[in-house]
Amino acid sequence: MAPSDKWQALLADAETGTERGGTGMRLASTEDGGSGGGNGGGSDFDLKSSKGPWTTASGVAGALHTSSSSALTELETASKGVADNAKGLDSTSALAEVLTSWKGRLTAVRNECDRLEAALKTAGKEFGEREVQTRQDWDRQRPHSGNGVGPR
């Protein structure tokens, strides 16, 4: 079924932009005259991405997991015997409450960092794989013009 005349007019306007003062509708990076994010358009894309930031963030989360685990161990070691030695002091219950609170906080931080390390590592791997696949798909669809520009 052929598009209506109104639909044809809308498509023509999208290409030329006659109703909007000639602005037209086009993807900036696909035409030589487009802005393409600062490189003048064409086939040299300046939008770069990599899995590196995800991998770096995963490493930071892993380091935080390790340091929070160490801090939790140190807190538990340092607090052993404190309750027995502080018997009779008014601050014993407050000390126990603070200790319990900090153990809970450090445990939550440690667990969250462990979760984040795995999630960020997975995201980086998947992101990198999708980038490669997208580049390959894009290159397969790009017409080869005979002047060295085309599928790589």
Side-chain angles (χ1 to χ4, degrees):
M1 183 171 164
S4 69
D5 291 337
K6 178 67 175 166
W7 184 248
Q8 288 292 345
L10 288 171
L11 289 174
D13 178 52
E15 291 177 12
T16 62
T18 54
E19 287 183 18
R20 294 181 306 280
T23 58
M25 184 186 332
R26 61 188 159 268
L27 197 57
S29 62
T30 61
E31 297 183 23
D32 288 336
S35 65
N39 70 356
S43 63
D44 242 356
F45 299 105
D46 65 350
L47 177 60
K48 305 292 181 195
S49 57
S50 71
K51 67 179 186 175
W54 299 99
T55 304
T56 300
S58 172
V60 169
L64 286 171
H65 174 265
T66 301
S67 66
S68 59
S69 290
S70 297
L72 188 56
T73 301
E74 287 180 37
L75 180 63
E76 289 172 347
T77 302
S79 65
K80 283 184 182 174
V82 171
D84 290 336
N85 294 332
K87 279 187 181 174
L89 297 175
D90 292 338
S91 62
T92 305
S93 64
L95 180 61
E97 186 179 325
V98 169
L99 179 61
T100 301
S101 173
W102 275 103
K103 280 183 180 179
R105 291 174 189 190
L106 283 171
T107 299
V109 167
R110 181 197 62 197
N111 294 345
E112 180 65 7
C113 288
D114 188 40
R115 185 194 70 76
L116 280 174
E117 179 182 19
L120 291 167
K121 195 177 291 184
T122 300
K125 180 180 180 291
E126 290 176 359
F127 183 76
E129 289 171 356
R130 284 192 184 113
E131 281 298 301
V132 169
Q133 185 62 47
T134 300
R135 172 56 67 192
Q136 290 170 348
D137 291 348
W138 181 261
D139 287 346
R140 274 194 299 275
Q141 293 177 21
R142 188 181 312 158
H144 185 62
S145 64
N147 64 358
V149 177
R152 294 178 235 183

